[in-house]
Amino acid sequence: MDNLRLKALAVLKRFYGYSNFYPYQYEAIECVMNGRDAMVLMPTGGGKSLCFQIPALLSEGCTIVVSPLLALMKDQVDALQANGIPAAAINSSQSEAFNREIIDQVFAKRIKLLYISPERLLTEIESWSAAMKISLIAIDEAHCISQWGHDFRPEYMRLSMLKKQFPDVPVMALTATADRLTRNDIVRQLNIPDARIFITSFDRKNISLQVIKNLSGKDKLHELTRFIDRHKGESGIIYCLSRKNAEKMAEKLNKIGYNSAAFHAGMPTAEKERVQQAFLNDDIPIICATIAFGMGINKSNVRWVVHSNMPKNMECYYQEIGRAGRDGMPAEALMFYSFGDVATLMNFARESGQSSVNIDKLRRMQQYAEASVCRRRILLSYFNERLECDCGNCDVCKNPPERIDGTVICQMALSAIARVNENEGVTTIIDILRGSQKTDIVAKGYNKLKTYGVGRNLTFAAWNSYLLQMLQLGIIDIAYDDGNHLKITEYGHDILHSMRTVQLSKFYYDNNRHKPEKEAPRLPVDIPLNQSLMSKLKELRYAIAKAHGVPPYIVFSDKVLDVIATQKPTTKAQFSTLYGVGERKTEMYWRQFTSLVASFLNSQDNEK
Ligand code: ADP
Ligand code: ZN
């Protein structure tokens, strides 16, 4: 192995306690160590930070990290310091005297990584150039430079001067946004045309995907609470469509004994900060949020994300589920989806400035929600990445739909639609099929139709599912511009007149289908024991975090606790070799953790 790789691996083990690099981390490190510019495109959790932190540790001088958000800076500085790496941030939330002190320390070569906002960097840098040895300039969240991106920040545009002022200092741009337009923009605006580009897969394998369709409000809450119950003591986010929904959801959950809080852009800043901090510190496990929540959150132990309604496009969906499982441990994403969501979102899309683009995006999202093939394949193909085989970690893969001859079912529905002259929406059609006594059904005389009640052997949810599939198959259409009425397509007419047959996925809503899927136990005998050890480890982590004033995941990630629970180290030597335990954390924590493990093992022996 070459010298640089050995040195990099040694630093990785010493400071972070990791033994191997993630894909392309080393290549990116090598690139800037050789003085070249680099662009790193990796998904959330892909390990971008190490790509500039390791070069910082291997080089003389200080690495400058440009970051757009205070919270992100603070998080990274906390994490670095916890690993014994001298890092600091300059920002407006600190006193000027403190900021100056940090700059003095940089000049005194006591800081290896300096985090700074773009506007601040631009005002400071004039005075630095000569006397400061800058080893690398890292531009985090580099998509902020692009007007095409979802998070444009004008201050970022002025960063183009960096390459002019420091032609010999390598620049590394990092982002989790990989689309070509944004990528080209970054290279152009930062003046790094020769940057080598490192792209990894955007597949987040550890996040399982699930969609539950068409539940009424009560059933939805029931499924949601069952889902949360499976994640006792774990942090998660519930995304809601509106501020009001977020508040209502939090209220509902708290009323039935959960500990949750709402978070949305309409709340006072102080309250938002309080809620976010409580979430980071594991004091409030459940956040009911609008999309405003998540930017600037690095919390690695978010174990689940729920979409209470379908999001408006795949980009949002991918970003939001991506907040779960950054530590690489299993995480779950659950989405609830209904016709009503589509109607609501369709209205938003139409009112937006770019309605045709937004409607197309909504359609793609809908196709994902209604998919009867591997969801991950659909998700990744949207981002132009092809998955060679089914993922095995989505609901479709786990419960492949059973196919049935759906011709008669379709004919019943089509005939009902025809008999109301294509002038009714989904709910009324189902009411007619099921022979509902609702007053407006009777008032309109629908109870006299020939199709009235022919479908009463199927539940409302079943009909909803079949109509959805008919829509997906192009048998019917929803006229969004005409009261959401159902229309029969040409293909539908063929089926109605028995010229074609149709296969449908069988609907079944029984408890089996939504039963918690059991993870394959790794060590069957140890599982219950490890779980009780795990919760003790979490308590210890929480106590340490409180004492040090940092979030628990900064002390150790869930993955490290899992390793401790499995390996059960009882000596300092054993503890020091564990995944995620570097030199600093060994010194800081070995006593507390090994004695906890030892007393746990003791109590187990006594029970025998
Ligand atoms: P990103 O910035 O791309 O979202 P991070 O740099 O925050 O990702 O890394 C995500 C998680 O993976 C962190 O907990 C980090 O410590 C961990 N990690 C990064 N690189 C490695 C590695 N080579 N081996 C093990 N864990 C790693
Ligand atoms: Zn799958």
Side-chain angles (χ1 to χ4, degrees):
M1 235 188 287
D2 56 75
N3 211 358
L4 180 62
R5 188 185 285 267
L6 285 176
K7 278 193 200 155
L9 280 168
V11 164
L12 184 68
K13 187 72 201 166
R14 176 175 167 208
F15 289 101
Y16 302 87
Y18 303 142
S19 304
N20 303 293
F21 284 111
Y22 281 171
Y24 290 114
Q25 278 181 328
Y26 178 69
E27 288 74 8
I29 292 165
E30 188 183 31
C31 174
V32 291
M33 290 304 290
N34 288 331
R36 275 190 72 173
D37 301 327
M39 169 135 86
V40 176
L41 307 167
M42 291 178 181
T44 307
K48 287 185 287 297
S49 327
L50 256 60
C51 296
F52 57 82
Q53 290 174 1
I54 301 254
L57 290 166
L58 289 171
S59 314
E60 222 190 294
C62 182
T63 287
I64 307 290
V65 187
V66 180
S67 176
L69 286 172
L70 271 178
L72 286 179
M73 285 189 212
K74 182 169 165 6
D75 200 85
Q76 292 227 351
V77 170
D78 281 350
L80 285 161
Q81 288 178 347
N83 280 330
I85 299 167
I90 298 186
N91 62 52
S92 52
S93 76
Q94 295 161 180
S95 73
E96 265 325 286
F98 189 77
N99 283 335
R100 294 257 70 91
E101 208 172 290
I102 285 171
I103 292 173
D104 288 345
Q105 287 194 30
V106 175
F107 277 107
K109 305 202 165 97
R110 283 202 290 269
I111 302 270
K112 292 308 293 179
L113 288 119
L114 180 68
Y115 285 74
I116 190 164
S117 66
E119 53 276 27
R120 186 74 195 226
L121 175 66
L122 294 164
T123 56
E124 293 284 347
I125 204 146
E126 292 290 323
S127 58
W128 292 357
S129 337
M132 190 186 290
K133 168 97 182 101
I134 299 175
S135 51
L136 170 68
I137 298 171
I139 316 279
D140 210 1
E141 312 288 340
H143 58 273
C144 292
I145 208 169
S146 171
Q147 306 204 37
W148 302 110
H150 46 84
D151 194 24
F152 173 59
R153 283 163 194 265
E155 323 79 86
Y156 261 69
M157 288 186 58
R158 289 178 48 215
L159 295 173
S160 60
M161 48 72 65
L162 286 172
K163 202 64 209 175
K164 288 185 199 127
Q165 190 160 353
F166 302 97
D168 300 328
V169 177
V171 167
M172 179 184 273
L174 306 104
T175 176
T177 308
D179 69 87
R180 196 171 296 274
L181 222 51
T182 310
R183 199 197 302 170
N184 294 343
D185 230 18
I186 293 172
V187 169
R188 195 170 49 83
Q189 305 245 28
L190 285 178
N191 271 324
I192 48 170
D194 300 324
R196 282 196 57 193
I197 298 179
F198 302 95
I199 307 183
T200 63
S201 163
F202 274 64
D203 188 7
R204 305 281 312 278
K205 290 187 181 56
N206 59 319
I207 304 176
S208 76
L209 307 172
Q210 188 187 1
V211 177
I212 298 182
K213 281 176 263 190
N214 299 320
L215 292 188
S216 68
K218 207 172 82 225
D219 288 344
K220 193 160 142 180
L221 186 64
H222 178 67
E223 281 299 331
L224 176 65
T225 53
R226 270 170 51 146
F227 178 88
I228 301 176
D229 290 343
R230 268 200 281 138
H231 293 277
K232 257 209 179 79
E234 298 176 350
S235 301
I237 306 171
I238 303 173
Y239 284 104
C240 304
L241 271 189
S242 66
R243 295 171 184 187
K244 206 150 110 217
N245 288 358
E247 275 167 9
K248 270 200 208 140
M249 178 68 84
E251 220 170 274
K252 234 185 302 186
L253 288 173
N254 289 339
K255 210 179 261 170
I256 52 178
Y258 296 91
N259 179 9
S260 76
F263 184 102
H264 58 72
M267 283 163 37
T269 310
E271 177 65 1
K272 279 194 293 194
E273 261 162 29
R274 186 191 69 83
V275 169
Q276 178 159 321
Q277 210 52 48
F279 183 62
L280 295 183
N281 292 339
D282 292 351
D283 289 324
I284 297 178
I286 304 170
I287 300 293
C288 305
T290 56
I291 47 168
F293 187 73
M295 249 308 267
I297 288 210
N298 259 334
K299 183 176 167 69
S300 72
N301 60 336
V302 177
R303 292 266 69 86
W304 54 270
V305 166
V306 167
H307 284 91
S308 148
N309 305 90
M310 185 175 83
K312 65 176 193 269
N313 59 43
M314 299 280 270
E315 285 89 349
C316 291
Y317 177 68
Y318 178 81
Q319 238 196 14
E320 285 157 12
I321 63 170
R323 311 239 149 88
R326 295 179 75 126
D327 51 12
M329 291 283 284
E332 282 191 67
L334 168 65
M335 183 210 296
F336 290 101
Y337 162 68
S338 76
F339 270 140
D341 297 346
V342 181
T344 311
L345 290 166
M346 194 54 83
N347 285 332
F348 289 162
R350 261 202 237 96
E351 287 158 14
S352 73
Q354 307 164 292
S355 61
S356 75
V357 177
N358 290 339
I359 289 172
D360 280 352
K361 290 190 166 194
L362 179 56
R363 291 259 179 264
R364 297 290 296 270
M365 190 67 235
Q366 191 181 359
Q367 282 164 10
Y368 171 87
E370 292 169 3
S372 49
V373 298
C374 174
R375 285 193 212 281
R376 200 172 307 268
R377 285 190 141 175
I378 302 180
L379 183 61
L380 289 172
S381 82
Y382 182 81
F383 296 105
N384 300 314
E385 193 178 321
R386 231 171 50 118
L387 206 60
E388 292 301 325
C389 48
D390 288 354
C391 77
N393 197 20
C394 74
D395 52 348
V396 181
C397 284
K398 286 174 187 164
N399 283 300
E402 191 185 326
R403 310 293 284 176
I404 52 168
D405 182 347
T407 313
V408 174
I409 291 174
C410 289
Q411 284 174 337
M412 286 189 213
L414 289 167
S415 131
I417 296 167
R419 282 174 198 280
V420 298
N421 300 319
E422 307 187 322
N423 266 330
E424 293 293 349
V426 178
T427 310
T428 305
I429 296 296
I430 299 179
D431 284 341
I432 294 171
L433 287 163
R434 301 194 66 238
S436 155
Q437 308 283 342
K438 278 185 199 161
T439 44
D440 55 322
I441 297 287
V442 178
K444 286 180 177 169
Y446 290 163
N447 54 343
K448 303 209 173 65
L449 294 178
K450 226 176 132 197
T451 33
Y452 180 77
V454 293
R456 60 164 51 95
N457 61 330
L458 293 177
T459 60
F460 192 93
W463 273 116
N464 221 332
S465 155
Y466 291 137
L467 284 165
L468 206 66
Q469 293 185 49
M470 289 168 70
L471 189 66
Q472 196 181 6
L473 292 169
I475 298 168
I476 54 173
D477 222 353
I478 292 187
Y480 289 104
D481 50 357
D482 176 18
N484 298 332
H485 296 163
L486 299 182
K487 308 284 175 186
I488 303 175
T489 63
E490 212 167 297
Y491 179 35
H493 280 290
D494 287 352
I495 292 162
L496 186 57
H497 300 122
S498 297
M499 287 150 65
R500 285 169 182 253
T501 60
V502 202
Q503 294 264 304
L504 293 177
S505 301
K506 183 170 178 182
F507 172 87
Y508 43 113
Y509 181 81
D510 58 23
N511 291 334
N512 284 329
R513 189 160 170 86
H514 299 302
K515 228 182 222 157
E517 280 118 17
K518 290 203 181 79
E519 295 278 327
R522 275 163 302 177
L523 293 165
V525 193
D526 264 4
I527 285 285
L529 290 187
N530 278 350
Q531 263 163 16
S532 75
L533 177 53
M534 189 70 180
S535 55
K536 288 198 169 70
L537 291 170
K538 279 189 181 165
E539 280 166 26
L540 175 56
R541 172 176 73 173
Y542 181 85
I544 292 175
K546 273 268 147 12
H548 291 239
V550 292
Y553 64 88
I554 296 280
V555 175
F556 279 133
S557 71
D558 281 8
K559 200 162 167 178
V560 176
L561 294 194
D562 189 62
V563 169
I564 298 177
T566 320
Q567 314 243 326
K568 303 192 180 60
T570 51
T571 65
K572 183 178 178 184
Q574 286 168 354
F575 188 74
S576 71
T577 62
L578 296 183
Y579 167 95
V581 184
E583 274 179 13
R584 163 62 68 96
K585 287 187 179 173
T586 301
E587 289 306 326
M588 297 277 287
Y589 306 131
W590 74 273
R591 262 178 234 281
Q592 282 165 290
F593 280 93
T594 54
S595 62
L596 177 79
V597 170
S599 71
F600 175 80
L601 291 174
N602 256 333
S603 69
Q604 293 304 317
D605 283 346
N606 293 341
E607 268 173 38
K608 274 180 194 154

